[in-house]
Amino acid sequence: MAKFHVIIPAAGSGSRMHSEIPKQYLPLLSRPLITWCLDVFYANTKIDYVHLALHPQDEVWSHQLSNNPKLNVLRTGGDTRAQTVLNTLEEIDADENDWVLVHDAARPGLTDALLSKLLDALQDDIVGGLLAIPLADTLKRADASQRVEKTESREDLWQAQTPQMFQYGLLKRALIKAQANHQQPTDEAQAIEFLGLSPKLVAGELRNLKITYPQDLLLAEAILAVDMNKHSEHQS
Ligand code: CTP
Ligand code: MG
């Protein structure tokens, strides 16, 4: 039976966050940001392994942060996210048809419901796919002086999220080929698209936002605080 591997690229510098420590370690409701998504993967019984891809010089990670039998900590960080993922694929022990779910360390709002929806939608798919949300706002293209050049149609446009889920053999081939062709895929799906394949879009939710700027942290805190209140009301 095919296994389910999660890869969490966590080797970025978080430059847009302007923080002293990498953003995945910033406190989010009193525990490190990265632990929120790790706990979702630990709790889902379909997930067999969680491979965490750290920067080779990462000095903040400690097993005390979130230890678990599923966790495999690797120092496979590369210069780009795609390189980090490819280095990790080359390091892990997986079969060609095992599933790999790549999830940004900086997306703490993933829920078990969203993860299960992705797994259910894709585990029999021949290409694989990703969580994404249909674009809600009107889209403007800017000119060099930051004035509107034109309004673009948002029809059929989606914003990509993670996890992005593909079979091990296919994803590795796609990333190796992109590298050989000097292409710079910004997510796994784009590397698959370069092969002429069409990943499936599975409707995600806004709460699965990526923490990029300082204000995103406040939004994620508000969302997760509502969850925690609901949880404690349920228990009392
Ligand atoms: N990432 C990685 N290796 C890289 C670059 C990014 O593993 N060379 C990871 C980040 O740690 C993050 C995810 O990819 O979990 C998404 O990237 P992004 O949000 O862009 O994070 P950073 O690159 O760290 O942030 P910035 O672009 O602001 O520097
Ligand atoms: Mg980046």
Side-chain angles (χ1 to χ4, degrees):
M1 264 238 309
K3 301 258 190 215
F4 289 84
H5 298 254
V6 170
I7 290 181
I8 303 186
S13 61
S15 56
R16 288 170 288 180
M17 202 71 198
H18 303 294
S19 148
E20 296 257 299
I21 56 169
K23 61 185 174 183
Q24 65 266 25
Y25 300 121
L26 290 171
L28 180 50
L29 295 183
S30 75
R31 61 186 176 99
L33 196 157
I34 192 169
T35 62
W36 288 90
C37 74
L38 285 170
D39 286 352
V40 173
F41 293 119
Y42 296 159
N44 189 296
T45 53
K46 278 201 172 156
I47 302 298
D48 297 291
Y49 306 100
V50 178
H51 308 284
L52 179 61
L54 300 179
H55 191 278
Q57 270 92 49
D58 185 309
E59 284 170 3
V60 187
W61 172 260
S62 131
H63 279 276
Q64 271 76 47
L65 278 186
S66 181
N67 213 349
N68 186 277
K70 292 184 185 180
L71 181 66
N72 176 29
V73 180
L74 298 165
R75 293 191 173 262
T76 41
D79 289 344
T80 61
R81 186 173 176 287
Q83 191 63 57
T84 299
V85 174
L86 180 54
N87 292 348
T88 310
L89 289 171
E90 283 173 340
E91 194 79 11
I92 67 175
D93 189 14
D95 286 342
E96 281 282 295
N97 61 349
D98 282 354
W99 286 102
V100 175
L101 287 87
V102 183
H103 184 68
D104 295 325
R107 288 187 192 270
L110 182 69
T111 57
D112 187 62
L114 278 174
L115 173 60
S116 299
K117 185 178 179 189
L118 184 77
L119 291 167
D120 289 347
L122 297 178
Q123 60 190 350
D124 296 318
D125 197 276
I126 49 165
V127 177
L130 62 149
L131 287 179
I133 46 179
L135 220 65
D137 296 329
T138 299
L139 206 57
K140 305 293 185 191
R141 181 172 298 280
D143 66 14
S145 53
Q146 207 177 302
R147 289 189 165 274
V148 176
E149 189 179 291
K150 65 189 274 234
T151 298
E152 301 281 359
S153 165
R154 66 163 177 255
E155 205 183 346
D156 296 328
L157 288 184
W158 294 59
Q159 250 179 293
Q161 297 187 332
T162 70
Q164 303 207 351
M165 172 171 161
F166 299 99
Q167 282 180 313
Y168 175 82
L170 177 66
L171 181 58
K172 196 163 145 188
R173 273 196 303 285
L175 288 170
I176 289 172
K177 190 168 175 204
Q179 190 182 53
N181 292 342
H182 306 289
Q183 291 163 321
Q184 306 282 352
T186 52
D187 65 358
E188 291 62 54
Q190 196 181 15
I192 302 290
E193 293 156 43
F194 288 148
L195 297 180
L197 298 170
S198 297
K200 174 92 180 153
L201 295 161
V202 179
E205 287 175 28
L206 195 58
R207 60 165 296 140
N208 185 28
L209 79 160
K210 182 161 71 73
I211 307 301
T212 306
Y213 300 103
Q215 70 263 30
D216 301 334
L217 207 52
L218 296 174
L219 190 54
E221 254 175 352
I223 293 167
L224 292 167
V226 171
D227 283 0
M228 282 179 74
N229 287 338
K230 274 194 200 146
H231 188 69
S232 55
E233 273 169 25
H234 190 70
Q235 291 201 320
S236 61

